[in-house]
Amino acid sequence: DTGVSQDPRHKITKRGQNVTFRCDPISEHNRLYWYRQTLGQGPEFLTYFQNEAQLEKSRLLSDRFSAERPKGSFSTLEIQRTEQGDSAMYLCASSLAAFTDYGYTFGSGTRLTVV
Amino acid sequence: GEDVEQSLFLSVREGDSSVINCTYTDSSSTYLYWYKQEPGAGLQLLTYIFSNMDMKQDQRLTVLLNKKDKHLSLRIADTQTGDSAIYFCAEMDQKLVFGQGTRLTINP
């Protein structure tokens, strides 16, 4: 297994456009998380899935954001009508269980720039 | 709610020890973690401590946990230039909650 993969690595989009990011977790991990990181800040939790069920969404996740994990494997995060404030690094992570001594395994992220 | 606080910057001389501090608010946290992030890279787990432990040592890394004061620290012995990075403290309840990160700079 090559770890957590995210695609694309970079995305530049015009304000008002829709964007979709993909995350492929470690295959045996049943939990998948999305975080957002802006410059100079720590990662902020957005949402997580256990298998295909979305169990929690942050208040940060406005109605323009939607995440899916249709078959309990890969996940997509879509942002509709992007705004400049959406510019950030979007990080995906996965884990085998809720409480683990190895924490989460993170992908390298998708850097979104909204112009 | 959950909140994790760290100082933003630390500068040390090469070969000295670095101590990065963190405070957290959620007393029900089961695990506490230290992650490292190098420029342009993802988050790398450095070490963790379970909430019923006071100390954990792993090669050059020592983690101290004061559960009464909700204070966590990471000591890096013999700091090297390759240790330059941002270090994040994170607490685990139902999910990982991160601090803002401490940027560690190494001076020759």
Side-chain angles (χ1 to χ4, degrees):
Chain A
D1 202 331
T2 55
V4 178
S5 300
Q6 291 189 246
D7 184 67
R9 290 294 304 272
H10 303 274
K11 178 72 178 177
I12 300 173
T13 191
K14 289 185 178 178
R15 192 174 51 189
Q17 297 294 305
N18 299 344
V19 294
T20 300
F21 310 140
R22 177 180 170 122
C23 171
D24 286 272
I26 292 174
S27 55
E28 61 266 27
H29 285 184
N30 57 15
R31 285 198 165 210
L32 185 147
Y33 309 84
W34 285 100
Y35 282 78
R36 180 173 67 189
Q37 186 177 21
T38 53
L39 202 61
Q41 300 294 318
E44 296 173 301
F45 171 78
L46 293 178
T47 188
Y48 87 90
F49 294 83
Q50 178 156 314
N51 301 313
E52 65 275 8
Q54 189 173 17
L55 296 188
E56 186 176 344
K57 291 195 291 187
S58 164
R59 290 188 299 273
L60 294 174
L61 214 63
S62 77
D63 292 343
R64 297 184 296 106
F65 287 70
S66 62
E68 293 183 339
R69 194 183 183 197
K71 296 180 182 177
S73 57
F74 73 91
S75 175
T76 57
L77 178 68
E78 182 184 16
I79 309 174
Q80 295 183 325
R81 305 181 303 282
T82 51
E83 301 172 356
Q84 285 190 319
D86 297 331
S87 295
M89 176 75 85
Y90 289 83
L91 296 166
C92 177
S94 68
S95 71
L96 189 55
F99 301 97
T100 73
D101 57 5
Y102 58 81
Y104 302 168
T105 303
F106 281 84
S108 297
T110 293
R111 181 170 294 285
L112 173 66
T113 303
V114 181
V115 297
Chain B
E2 303 145 335
D3 196 17
V4 180
E5 299 280 340
Q6 299 178 241
S7 52
L8 297 181
F9 301 99
L10 177 65
S11 179
V12 299
R13 284 201 320 188
E14 190 174 2
D16 287 353
S17 292
S18 306
V19 180
I20 303 171
N21 294 301
C22 167
T23 57
Y24 61 97
T25 56
D26 192 347
S27 57
S28 63
S29 294
T30 51
Y31 288 92
L32 294 136
Y33 303 87
W34 286 101
Y35 278 82
K36 177 182 181 182
Q37 188 175 43
E38 294 178 277
L43 289 156
Q44 172 197 352
L45 178 67
L46 276 181
T47 188
Y48 70 94
I49 189 165
F50 192 55
S51 58
N52 67 356
M53 298 167 65
D54 298 323
M55 186 182 91
K56 181 180 178 185
Q57 187 147 4
D58 184 1
Q59 299 183 339
R60 292 192 297 124
L61 304 178
T62 304
V63 179
L64 295 178
L65 175 60
N66 181 330
K67 202 170 178 184
K68 174 175 166 288
D69 294 338
K70 297 179 188 159
H71 182 268
L72 184 73
S73 68
L74 173 69
R75 178 177 178 268
I76 306 172
D78 186 25
T79 311
Q80 303 298 309
T81 53
D83 295 322
S84 293
I86 301 176
Y87 290 81
F88 292 96
C89 166
E91 64 175 347
M92 170 74 84
D93 185 9
Q94 291 297 320
K95 58 187 181 290
L96 274 181
V97 176
F98 288 86
Q100 289 177 287
T102 300
R103 183 179 294 276
L104 176 63
T105 304
I106 316 303
N107 302 314

